[in-house]
Amino acid sequence: MTIQKLFIFILLALFAQNSFGQQYQWKKSDEQLAIQFYQNGEYEKARPLFEELIKDGNDQVDEYYFDCLIKLADYKEAEKFLKKRIKKSSNKH
């Protein structure tokens, strides 16, 4: 491998690592913002953020999201979400 190729490889690796770190940081700030909206009773604002986090695989906000649905009286969506989580947890065992 030539020096130029090695240099390009290192630059690409650093760029990829930096990009991943930024993406994680954005998701973490989205989670904090969603929880802040939830705690302030702004469930309409929190809901889409929680939905995006859950879509991206963040299971730690499930309870917040479910409670948002209940507070917004979207019982149909709450039931659907709960059934998905039950199915998901039963598949793990």
Coordinates of all heavy atoms in Angstrom, one line a residue:
M1 N 0.9 -1.2 0.0 CA 0.0 0.0 0.0 C 0.9 1.2 0.0 O 1.8 1.3 0.8 CB -0.9 0.0 1.2 CG -1.9 1.1 1.2 SD -3.0 1.0 2.7 CE -4.3 -0.1 2.1
T2 N 0.6 2.1 -0.9 CA 1.4 3.3 -0.9 C 1.0 4.3 0.2 O 0.0 4.2 0.8 CB 1.2 4.1 -2.3 OG1 -0.2 4.5 -2.4 CG2 1.5 3.2 -3.5
I3 N 1.9 5.3 0.4 CA 1.6 6.3 1.4 C 0.4 7.1 1.1 O -0.4 7.3 2.0 CB 2.8 7.3 1.5 CG1 4.1 6.5 2.0 CG2 2.5 8.5 2.4 CD1 4.0 6.2 3.4
Q4 N 0.1 7.4 -0.1 CA -1.1 8.1 -0.5 C -2.4 7.3 -0.2 O -3.3 7.9 0.4 CB -1.1 8.5 -2.0 CG 0.0 9.5 -2.3 CD 0.1 9.8 -3.8 OE1 -0.2 8.9 -4.6 NE2 0.5 11.0 -4.2
K5 N -2.4 6.0 -0.5 CA -3.5 5.2 -0.2 C -3.7 5.1 1.3 O -4.9 5.1 1.8 CB -3.4 3.8 -0.9 CG -3.5 3.9 -2.4 CD -3.4 2.5 -2.9 CE -3.6 2.5 -4.5 NZ -3.4 1.2 -5.0
L6 N -2.6 4.9 2.0 CA -2.7 4.8 3.5 C -3.3 6.1 4.1 O -4.2 6.0 5.0 CB -1.4 4.5 4.0 CG -1.3 4.3 5.5 CD1 -2.2 3.1 6.0 CD2 0.1 4.0 6.0
F7 N -2.8 7.2 3.6 CA -3.3 8.5 4.1 C -4.8 8.6 3.8 O -5.6 9.0 4.7 CB -2.5 9.6 3.4 CG -2.9 11.0 3.8 CD1 -2.6 11.5 5.1 CD2 -3.7 11.8 3.0 CE1 -3.0 12.7 5.5 CE2 -4.0 13.1 3.4 CZ -3.7 13.5 4.7
I8 N -5.3 8.3 2.6 CA -6.7 8.4 2.3 C -7.5 7.4 3.1 O -8.6 7.8 3.7 CB -6.9 8.1 0.8 CG1 -6.3 9.2 -0.1 CG2 -8.4 7.9 0.5 CD1 -6.3 9.0 -1.5
F9 N -7.0 6.2 3.4 CA -7.7 5.3 4.2 C -7.8 5.8 5.6 O -8.9 5.7 6.2 CB -6.9 3.9 4.2 CG -7.5 2.9 5.2 CD1 -8.6 2.2 4.8 CD2 -6.9 2.7 6.4 CE1 -9.2 1.3 5.7 CE2 -7.4 1.8 7.3 CZ -8.6 1.1 6.9
I10 N -6.8 6.4 6.2 CA -6.8 6.9 7.5 C -7.8 8.1 7.6 O -8.6 8.2 8.5 CB -5.4 7.4 8.0 CG1 -4.6 6.1 8.2 CG2 -5.5 8.2 9.3 CD1 -3.1 6.4 8.5
L11 N -7.8 9.0 6.6 CA -8.8 10.1 6.6 C -10.2 9.6 6.5 O -11.1 10.1 7.2 CB -8.5 11.0 5.4 CG -7.3 12.0 5.5 CD1 -7.2 12.7 4.2 CD2 -7.6 12.9 6.7
L12 N -10.5 8.6 5.7 CA -11.8 8.0 5.6 C -12.3 7.4 6.9 O -13.4 7.5 7.4 CB -11.9 7.0 4.5 CG -11.9 7.6 3.1 CD1 -11.8 6.5 2.0 CD2 -13.1 8.5 2.8
A13 N -11.3 6.7 7.6 CA -11.6 6.0 8.9 C -12.0 7.1 9.9 O -12.9 6.9 10.7 CB -10.5 5.2 9.3
L14 N -11.2 8.2 10.0 CA -11.4 9.2 10.9 C -12.8 9.9 10.6 O -13.5 10.3 11.5 CB -10.3 10.3 10.9 CG -9.0 9.8 11.5 CD1 -7.9 10.8 11.3 CD2 -9.1 9.5 13.0
F15 N -13.1 10.2 9.4 CA -14.3 10.8 9.0 C -15.5 9.9 9.4 O -16.5 10.4 9.9 CB -14.3 11.1 7.5 CG -15.6 11.7 7.0 CD1 -15.9 13.0 7.3 CD2 -16.6 10.9 6.3 CE1 -17.1 13.6 6.9 CE2 -17.8 11.5 5.9 CZ -18.0 12.8 6.2
A16 N -15.4 8.6 9.1 CA -16.5 7.7 9.5 C -16.7 7.7 11.0 O -17.9 7.7 11.5 CB -16.2 6.3 9.0
Q17 N -15.6 7.7 11.8 CA -15.7 7.6 13.2 C -16.4 8.9 13.7 O -17.2 8.9 14.6 CB -14.4 7.4 13.8 CG -14.4 7.3 15.4 CD -13.0 7.2 15.9 OE1 -12.0 7.4 15.3 NE2 -13.0 6.8 17.2
N18 N -16.0 10.1 13.2 CA -16.5 11.3 13.6 C -18.0 11.4 13.3 O -18.8 11.9 14.0 CB -15.7 12.5 12.9 CG -16.1 13.8 13.5 OD1 -16.5 14.0 14.6 ND2 -16.0 14.8 12.6
S19 N -18.3 11.0 12.1 CA -19.7 11.0 11.7 C -20.6 10.2 12.6 O -21.7 10.6 13.0 CB -19.8 10.5 10.2 OG -21.2 10.4 9.8
F20 N -20.1 9.0 13.0 CA -20.9 8.1 13.9 C -21.1 8.8 15.2 O -22.1 8.8 15.8 CB -20.2 6.8 14.0 CG -20.9 5.9 15.0 CD1 -22.1 5.2 14.7 CD2 -20.4 5.7 16.3 CE1 -22.7 4.5 15.6 CE2 -21.0 4.9 17.2 CZ -22.2 4.3 16.9
G21 N -20.0 9.4 15.7 CA -20.1 10.1 17.0 C -21.1 11.2 17.0 O -21.8 11.4 17.9
Q22 N -21.1 12.0 15.9 CA -22.1 13.1 15.8 C -23.5 12.5 15.7 O -24.4 13.1 16.4 CB -21.8 13.9 14.6 CG -20.6 14.8 14.7 CD -20.3 15.6 13.4 OE1 -20.8 15.3 12.3 NE2 -19.5 16.6 13.5
Q23 N -23.7 11.5 15.0 CA -25.1 10.9 14.9 C -25.5 10.4 16.3 O -26.7 10.6 16.6 CB -25.0 9.7 13.9 CG -26.4 9.1 13.6 CD -26.4 8.0 12.6 OE1 -25.3 7.4 12.4 NE2 -27.5 7.7 12.1
Y24 N -24.6 9.8 17.0 CA -25.0 9.3 18.4 C -25.4 10.5 19.2 O -26.3 10.5 20.0 CB -23.9 8.5 19.0 CG -24.1 8.2 20.4 CD1 -25.0 7.1 20.7 CD2 -23.5 8.9 21.5 CE1 -25.3 6.8 22.1 CE2 -23.8 8.6 22.8 CZ -24.6 7.5 23.1 OH -24.9 7.2 24.4
Q25 N -24.6 11.6 19.1 CA -24.8 12.8 19.9 C -26.2 13.4 19.6 O -26.9 13.8 20.5 CB -23.7 13.8 19.7 CG -23.6 14.8 20.7 CD -22.4 15.7 20.6 OE1 -21.7 15.7 19.5 NE2 -22.0 16.4 21.6
W26 N -26.5 13.4 18.3 CA -27.8 14.0 17.9 C -29.0 13.1 18.5 O -29.9 13.7 19.0 CB -28.0 14.0 16.4 CG -27.1 15.0 15.7 CD1 -26.6 16.2 16.3 CD2 -26.6 15.0 14.4 NE1 -25.8 16.9 15.4 CE2 -25.8 16.2 14.2 CE3 -26.7 14.1 13.4 CZ2 -25.2 16.5 13.0 CZ3 -26.1 14.4 12.2 CH2 -25.3 15.6 12.0
K27 N -28.8 11.8 18.4 CA -29.9 10.9 18.9 C -30.0 11.1 20.4 O -31.1 11.1 21.0 CB -29.6 9.5 18.6 CG -29.6 9.2 17.1 CD -31.0 9.5 16.5 CE -31.0 9.3 15.1 NZ -32.3 9.7 14.5
K28 N -28.9 11.3 21.1 CA -28.9 11.5 22.6 C -29.6 12.8 22.9 O -30.4 12.9 23.8 CB -27.5 11.4 23.1 CG -27.5 11.3 24.6 CD -28.0 9.9 25.0 CE -28.0 9.7 26.5 NZ -28.8 8.6 26.9
S29 N -29.4 13.8 22.1 CA -30.0 15.1 22.4 C -31.5 15.0 22.0 O -32.3 15.7 22.7 CB -29.3 16.3 21.6 OG -29.4 16.1 20.3
D30 N -31.9 14.3 21.0 CA -33.3 14.1 20.7 C -34.0 13.4 21.8 O -35.1 13.7 22.2 CB -33.4 13.2 19.4 CG -33.1 13.9 18.1 OD1 -33.0 15.2 18.2 OD2 -33.0 13.3 17.1
E31 N -33.3 12.4 22.4 CA -33.9 11.7 23.6 C -34.1 12.7 24.7 O -35.2 12.7 25.4 CB -33.0 10.5 24.0 CG -33.5 9.8 25.2 CD -32.6 8.6 25.5 OE1 -31.8 8.1 24.7 OE2 -32.7 8.2 26.7
Q32 N -33.1 13.5 25.0 CA -33.2 14.5 26.1 C -34.3 15.5 25.8 O -35.1 15.8 26.7 CB -31.9 15.2 26.3 CG -30.8 14.3 26.9 CD -29.4 14.9 26.8 OE1 -29.2 15.8 26.1 NE2 -28.5 14.3 27.6
L33 N -34.4 15.9 24.6 CA -35.5 16.9 24.2 C -36.9 16.2 24.4 O -37.8 16.8 24.9 CB -35.3 17.4 22.8 CG -36.3 18.4 22.3 CD1 -36.2 19.7 23.2 CD2 -35.9 18.8 20.8
A34 N -37.0 15.0 23.9 CA -38.3 14.3 24.0 C -38.7 14.1 25.5 O -39.9 14.4 25.8 CB -38.2 12.9 23.3
I35 N -37.8 13.8 26.3 CA -38.1 13.6 27.7 C -38.4 14.9 28.4 O -39.3 15.0 29.2 CB -36.9 12.9 28.5 CG1 -36.8 11.4 28.0 CG2 -37.1 13.0 30.0 CD1 -35.6 10.7 28.4
Q36 N -37.7 16.0 28.0 CA -38.1 17.3 28.5 C -39.5 17.7 28.1 O -40.2 18.2 28.9 CB -37.1 18.4 28.0 CG -37.3 19.7 28.5 CD -36.2 20.7 28.0 OE1 -35.3 20.4 27.3 NE2 -36.4 22.0 28.5
F37 N -39.8 17.5 26.8 CA -41.2 17.8 26.4 C -42.2 17.0 27.2 O -43.2 17.5 27.7 CB -41.4 17.5 24.9 CG -40.8 18.5 24.0 CD1 -40.3 18.1 22.8 CD2 -40.9 19.9 24.2 CE1 -39.8 19.0 21.9 CE2 -40.3 20.8 23.4 CZ -39.8 20.4 22.2
Y38 N -41.9 15.7 27.4 CA -42.8 14.8 28.2 C -43.0 15.4 29.6 O -44.1 15.5 30.1 CB -42.2 13.4 28.2 CG -42.9 12.5 29.1 CD1 -44.0 11.8 28.7 CD2 -42.5 12.3 30.4 CE1 -44.7 10.9 29.5 CE2 -43.1 11.4 31.3 CZ -44.2 10.7 30.8 OH -44.9 9.9 31.7
Q39 N -41.8 15.7 30.2 CA -41.9 16.2 31.6 C -42.7 17.5 31.7 O -43.2 17.8 32.8 CB -40.5 16.3 32.2 CG -39.8 15.0 32.4 CD -38.4 15.1 32.8 OE1 -37.7 16.1 32.6 NE2 -37.8 14.0 33.4
N40 N -42.6 18.3 30.7 CA -43.4 19.6 30.7 C -44.8 19.4 30.3 O -45.6 20.4 30.1 CB -42.7 20.6 29.7 CG -41.3 21.0 30.2 OD1 -41.0 21.0 31.4 ND2 -40.5 21.5 29.3
G41 N -45.2 18.2 30.0 CA -46.6 17.9 29.6 C -46.9 18.3 28.1 O -48.0 18.3 27.7
E42 N -45.8 18.4 27.3 CA -46.0 18.7 25.9 C -45.9 17.4 25.1 O -45.0 17.2 24.4 CB -44.9 19.7 25.5 CG -45.0 21.1 26.2 CD -43.8 22.0 25.8 OE1 -44.0 22.8 24.9 OE2 -42.8 21.9 26.5
Y43 N -46.9 16.6 25.3 CA -46.9 15.3 24.7 C -47.0 15.3 23.2 O -46.4 14.4 22.6 CB -48.1 14.5 25.3 CG -48.1 14.5 26.8 CD1 -49.1 15.1 27.5 CD2 -47.0 13.9 27.5 CE1 -49.1 15.1 28.9 CE2 -47.0 13.9 28.9 CZ -48.0 14.5 29.6 OH -48.0 14.6 31.0
E44 N -47.7 16.3 22.6 CA -47.7 16.3 21.1 C -46.4 16.6 20.5 O -46.1 16.1 19.5 CB -48.7 17.5 20.7 CG -50.1 17.3 21.1 CD -50.3 17.9 22.5 OE1 -49.4 18.6 23.1 OE2 -51.4 17.7 23.1
K45 N -45.5 17.3 21.2 CA -44.2 17.6 20.8 C -43.2 16.4 21.0 O -42.3 16.1 20.3 CB -43.6 18.8 21.4 CG -44.2 20.1 21.0 CD -43.6 21.3 21.7 CE -44.2 22.6 21.3 NZ -43.6 23.7 22.0
A46 N -43.5 15.7 22.1 CA -42.6 14.6 22.5 C -42.9 13.3 21.7 O -41.9 12.6 21.3 CB -42.9 14.2 24.0
R47 N -44.1 13.1 21.3 CA -44.5 11.9 20.6 C -43.7 11.6 19.3 O -43.1 10.5 19.2 CB -46.0 11.9 20.2 CG -46.5 10.7 19.5 CD -47.9 10.8 19.2 NE -48.4 9.6 18.5 CZ -49.6 9.3 18.2 NH1 -50.6 10.1 18.6 NH2 -49.9 8.3 17.5
P48 N -43.6 12.6 18.4 CA -42.8 12.2 17.2 C -41.3 12.0 17.4 O -40.7 11.2 16.7 CB -43.0 13.4 16.2 CG -43.5 14.5 17.1 CD -44.2 13.9 18.3
L49 N -40.8 12.6 18.4 CA -39.4 12.4 18.8 C -39.2 11.0 19.3 O -38.3 10.2 19.0 CB -38.9 13.4 19.8 CG -38.8 14.8 19.3 CD1 -38.4 15.8 20.4 CD2 -37.7 14.9 18.2
F50 N -40.1 10.6 20.2 CA -40.1 9.2 20.7 C -40.3 8.2 19.6 O -39.6 7.1 19.6 CB -41.2 9.0 21.8 CG -40.8 9.6 23.1 CD1 -41.8 10.4 23.8 CD2 -39.6 9.5 23.7 CE1 -41.5 10.9 25.1 CE2 -39.3 10.1 25.0 CZ -40.3 10.8 25.6
E51 N -41.2 8.5 18.7 CA -41.4 7.5 17.6 C -40.2 7.3 16.8 O -39.8 6.2 16.4 CB -42.6 8.0 16.7 CG -43.9 7.9 17.4 CD -45.1 8.6 16.6 OE1 -44.8 9.4 15.7 OE2 -46.2 8.3 16.9
E52 N -39.5 8.4 16.5 CA -38.2 8.3 15.7 C -37.1 7.5 16.5 O -36.4 6.7 15.9 CB -37.7 9.7 15.4 CG -36.6 9.7 14.4 CD -36.9 9.2 13.0 OE1 -38.1 9.3 12.6 OE2 -36.0 8.6 12.4
L53 N -37.0 7.8 17.8 CA -36.1 7.1 18.6 C -36.4 5.6 18.6 O -35.4 4.8 18.5 CB -36.1 7.7 20.0 CG -35.5 9.1 20.2 CD1 -35.9 9.7 21.5 CD2 -33.9 9.0 20.0
I54 N -37.6 5.2 18.8 CA -38.0 3.8 18.8 C -37.8 3.2 17.5 O -37.3 2.1 17.4 CB -39.5 3.7 19.3 CG1 -39.6 4.0 20.8 CG2 -40.0 2.3 19.0 CD1 -41.0 4.2 21.3
K55 N -38.1 3.9 16.4 CA -37.8 3.4 15.1 C -36.3 3.1 14.9 O -36.0 2.2 14.2 CB -38.3 4.5 14.0 CG -38.1 4.1 12.6 CD -38.7 5.2 11.7 CE -37.9 5.3 10.4 NZ -38.2 6.4 9.7
D56 N -35.5 3.9 15.5 CA -34.0 3.7 15.4 C -33.5 2.7 16.4 O -32.3 2.5 16.5 CB -33.3 5.1 15.6 CG -33.5 6.0 14.5 OD1 -33.9 5.6 13.4 OD2 -33.2 7.2 14.7
G57 N -34.4 2.0 17.1 CA -34.0 0.9 18.0 C -33.8 1.3 19.4 O -33.2 0.5 20.2
N58 N -34.2 2.5 19.9 CA -34.0 2.9 21.3 C -35.2 2.4 22.1 O -36.2 3.0 22.1 CB -33.9 4.4 21.3 CG -33.6 4.9 22.7 OD1 -33.9 4.2 23.7 ND2 -33.0 6.1 22.8
D59 N -35.0 1.3 22.8 CA -36.0 0.7 23.6 C -36.2 1.3 25.0 O -37.1 1.1 25.7 CB -35.8 -0.8 23.8 CG -35.9 -1.6 22.5 OD1 -36.5 -1.1 21.5 OD2 -35.3 -2.7 22.4
Q60 N -35.2 2.2 25.3 CA -35.2 2.8 26.6 C -36.3 3.9 26.8 O -36.6 4.3 27.9 CB -33.9 3.4 26.9 CG -32.8 2.4 27.0 CD -31.4 2.9 27.3 OE1 -31.2 4.1 27.2 NE2 -30.5 2.1 27.7
V61 N -36.9 4.3 25.7 CA -38.0 5.3 25.8 C -39.4 4.7 25.6 O -40.4 5.5 25.6 CB -37.7 6.5 24.8 CG1 -36.4 7.2 25.1 CG2 -37.8 5.9 23.4
D62 N -39.5 3.4 25.6 CA -40.8 2.8 25.4 C -41.9 3.3 26.4 O -43.0 3.6 26.0 CB -40.7 1.3 25.6 CG -40.1 0.6 24.4 OD1 -39.7 1.3 23.4 OD2 -39.9 -0.6 24.4
E63 N -41.5 3.3 27.7 CA -42.5 3.7 28.7 C -43.0 5.1 28.5 O -44.1 5.4 28.7 CB -41.9 3.5 30.1 CG -41.8 2.0 30.5 CD -41.2 1.8 31.9 OE1 -41.6 2.6 32.8 OE2 -40.4 1.0 32.0
Y64 N -42.0 6.0 28.2 CA -42.4 7.4 27.9 C -43.4 7.5 26.8 O -44.4 8.2 26.8 CB -41.2 8.3 27.6 CG -40.3 8.6 28.8 CD1 -39.0 8.0 28.9 CD2 -40.6 9.5 29.8 CE1 -38.2 8.3 30.0 CE2 -39.8 9.8 30.8 CZ -38.6 9.2 30.9 OH -37.7 9.5 32.0
Y65 N -43.0 6.8 25.7 CA -43.8 6.8 24.5 C -45.2 6.3 24.8 O -46.2 6.9 24.4 CB -43.2 6.0 23.4 CG -44.0 6.0 22.1 CD1 -44.3 7.1 21.4 CD2 -44.5 4.8 21.6 CE1 -45.1 7.1 20.2 CE2 -45.3 4.7 20.5 CZ -45.6 5.8 19.8 OH -46.3 5.8 18.7
F66 N -45.3 5.1 25.4 CA -46.6 4.5 25.8 C -47.4 5.5 26.6 O -48.6 5.7 26.3 CB -46.4 3.2 26.5 CG -47.6 2.5 26.8 CD1 -48.4 1.9 25.8 CD2 -48.1 2.5 28.1 CE1 -49.6 1.2 26.2 CE2 -49.3 1.8 28.4 CZ -50.0 1.2 27.5
D67 N -46.8 6.1 27.6 CA -47.5 7.0 28.5 C -48.0 8.3 27.7 O -49.1 8.8 27.9 CB -46.7 7.4 29.7 CG -47.5 8.1 30.8 OD1 -48.6 7.5 31.1 OD2 -47.1 9.1 31.3
C68 N -47.2 8.7 26.7 CA -47.6 9.8 25.9 C -48.9 9.5 25.1 O -49.8 10.3 25.0 CB -46.5 10.1 24.8 SG -45.3 11.4 25.3
L69 N -48.9 8.3 24.6 CA -50.1 7.8 23.8 C -51.3 7.8 24.7 O -52.4 8.2 24.3 CB -49.8 6.4 23.2 CG -48.8 6.4 22.1 CD1 -48.5 4.9 21.7 CD2 -49.1 7.2 20.9
I70 N -51.1 7.4 26.0 CA -52.2 7.3 26.9 C -52.7 8.8 27.2 O -53.9 9.1 27.2 CB -51.9 6.6 28.2 CG1 -51.5 5.1 27.9 CG2 -53.0 6.7 29.2 CD1 -52.7 4.3 27.2
K71 N -51.7 9.6 27.5 CA -52.1 11.0 27.9 C -52.7 11.8 26.7 O -53.6 12.6 26.9 CB -50.8 11.8 28.2 CG -50.0 11.2 29.4 CD -50.4 11.9 30.7 CE -49.4 11.4 31.7 NZ -49.9 11.3 33.0
L72 N -52.4 11.4 25.5 CA -53.0 12.0 24.3 C -54.3 11.2 23.9 O -54.9 11.6 22.9 CB -52.0 11.9 23.1 CG -50.8 12.8 23.2 CD1 -49.8 12.5 22.2 CD2 -51.2 14.3 23.2
A73 N -54.7 10.2 24.7 CA -55.9 9.5 24.5 C -55.9 8.7 23.1 O -57.0 8.5 22.5 CB -57.2 10.3 24.6
D74 N -54.7 8.3 22.7 CA -54.6 7.6 21.4 C -54.5 6.1 21.8 O -53.5 5.5 21.7 CB -53.4 8.0 20.6 CG -53.4 7.4 19.2 OD1 -54.2 6.4 18.9 OD2 -52.6 7.9 18.4
Y75 N -55.6 5.6 22.3 CA -55.6 4.2 22.9 C -55.4 3.1 21.8 O -54.8 2.1 22.1 CB -57.0 4.0 23.6 CG -57.2 5.0 24.7 CD1 -58.3 5.9 24.6 CD2 -56.3 5.2 25.8 CE1 -58.5 6.8 25.6 CE2 -56.5 6.1 26.7 CZ -57.6 7.0 26.7 OH -57.8 7.9 27.6
K76 N -55.9 3.4 20.6 CA -55.7 2.4 19.6 C -54.2 2.3 19.3 O -53.7 1.1 19.1 CB -56.4 2.9 18.3 CG -56.5 1.9 17.2 CD -57.4 2.3 16.1 CE -57.4 1.3 15.0 NZ -58.3 1.6 13.9
E77 N -53.5 3.4 19.2 CA -52.0 3.3 18.9 C -51.3 2.7 20.1 O -50.3 2.0 19.9 CB -51.5 4.7 18.6 CG -50.0 4.7 18.1 CD -49.8 3.9 16.8 OE1 -50.7 3.8 15.9 OE2 -48.7 3.3 16.6
A78 N -51.7 3.0 21.3 CA -51.1 2.5 22.5 C -51.3 1.0 22.6 O -50.3 0.3 22.9 CB -51.8 3.1 23.8
E79 N -52.5 0.5 22.2 CA -52.7 -1.0 22.2 C -51.8 -1.6 21.1 O -51.2 -2.7 21.4 CB -54.2 -1.2 21.9 CG -54.5 -2.7 21.9 CD -56.0 -3.0 21.5 OE1 -56.7 -2.0 21.2 OE2 -56.4 -4.1 21.6
K80 N -51.7 -1.0 20.0 CA -50.9 -1.5 18.9 C -49.4 -1.6 19.3 O -48.8 -2.6 19.1 CB -51.1 -0.6 17.6 CG -50.4 -1.1 16.4 CD -50.8 -0.1 15.3 CE -49.8 -0.1 14.2 NZ -50.1 0.9 13.1
F81 N -49.0 -0.5 19.9 CA -47.6 -0.5 20.4 C -47.3 -1.6 21.4 O -46.3 -2.3 21.4 CB -47.3 0.9 20.9 CG -45.9 1.0 21.5 CD1 -44.8 1.1 20.7 CD2 -45.7 1.1 22.9 CE1 -43.5 1.2 21.2 CE2 -44.4 1.2 23.4 CZ -43.3 1.2 22.5
L82 N -48.2 -1.7 22.4 CA -48.1 -2.7 23.4 C -48.1 -4.1 22.9 O -47.2 -4.9 23.3 CB -49.2 -2.5 24.4 CG -49.0 -3.2 25.8 CD1 -47.8 -2.7 26.5 CD2 -50.3 -2.9 26.6
K83 N -48.9 -4.4 21.9 CA -48.9 -5.7 21.3 C -47.6 -6.0 20.6 O -47.1 -7.1 20.6 CB -50.1 -5.8 20.3 CG -51.4 -6.0 21.0 CD -52.5 -6.1 19.9 CE -53.9 -6.3 20.6 NZ -55.0 -6.4 19.6
K84 N -47.0 -5.0 19.9 CA -45.7 -5.2 19.2 C -44.6 -5.5 20.3 O -43.8 -6.3 20.0 CB -45.3 -3.9 18.5 CG -46.0 -3.7 17.2 CD -45.5 -2.5 16.5 CE -46.2 -2.1 15.2 NZ -45.8 -0.9 14.6
R85 N -44.7 -4.8 21.4 CA -43.6 -5.0 22.4 C -43.8 -6.4 23.0 O -42.8 -7.0 23.4 CB -43.7 -3.9 23.5 CG -43.1 -2.6 23.0 CD -41.7 -2.8 22.5 NE -41.1 -1.6 22.1 CZ -40.6 -1.4 20.9 NH1 -40.6 -2.3 20.0 NH2 -40.0 -0.3 20.5
I86 N -45.0 -6.8 23.3 CA -45.2 -8.1 23.8 C -44.7 -9.2 22.9 O -44.0 -10.1 23.3 CB -46.7 -8.4 24.2 CG1 -47.1 -7.5 25.3 CG2 -47.0 -9.8 24.5 CD1 -48.6 -7.4 25.6
K87 N -45.0 -9.0 21.6 CA -44.6 -10.0 20.6 C -43.0 -10.0 20.5 O -42.4 -11.0 20.4 CB -45.2 -9.6 19.2 CG -44.8 -10.6 18.1 CD -45.5 -10.3 16.9 CE -45.2 -11.3 15.8 NZ -45.9 -11.0 14.5
K88 N -42.4 -8.8 20.6 CA -41.0 -8.7 20.5 C -40.3 -9.4 21.7 O -39.3 -10.1 21.5 CB -40.6 -7.2 20.4 CG -39.1 -7.0 20.3 CD -38.8 -5.5 20.2 CE -37.3 -5.2 20.1 NZ -37.0 -3.8 20.0
S89 N -40.9 -9.2 22.9 CA -40.3 -9.8 24.1 C -40.5 -11.3 24.1 O -39.6 -12.0 24.6 CB -40.8 -9.1 25.3 OG -42.2 -9.5 25.5
S90 N -41.6 -11.8 23.6 CA -41.8 -13.2 23.5 C -40.9 -13.9 22.5 O -40.6 -15.1 22.7 CB -43.3 -13.5 23.3 OG -43.6 -13.1 22.0
N91 N -40.5 -13.2 21.5 CA -39.6 -13.7 20.5 C -38.2 -13.9 21.0 O -37.4 -14.6 20.5 CB -39.6 -12.9 19.2 CG -40.8 -13.1 18.4 OD1 -41.6 -14.0 18.5 ND2 -41.1 -12.1 17.5
K92 N -37.8 -13.1 22.0 CA -36.5 -13.1 22.6 C -36.3 -14.3 23.5 O -35.2 -14.8 23.7 CB -36.2 -11.9 23.5 CG -36.0 -10.6 22.6 CD -35.7 -9.4 23.5 CE -35.5 -8.2 22.7 NZ -35.2 -7.0 23.6
H93 N -37.4 -14.9 24.0 CA -37.3 -16.1 24.9 C -37.5 -17.4 24.2 O -37.8 -17.9 23.4 CB -38.3 -15.9 26.0 CG -38.1 -14.7 26.8 ND1 -37.0 -14.5 27.6 CD2 -38.8 -13.5 26.9 CE1 -37.1 -13.3 28.2 NE2 -38.2 -12.7 27.8

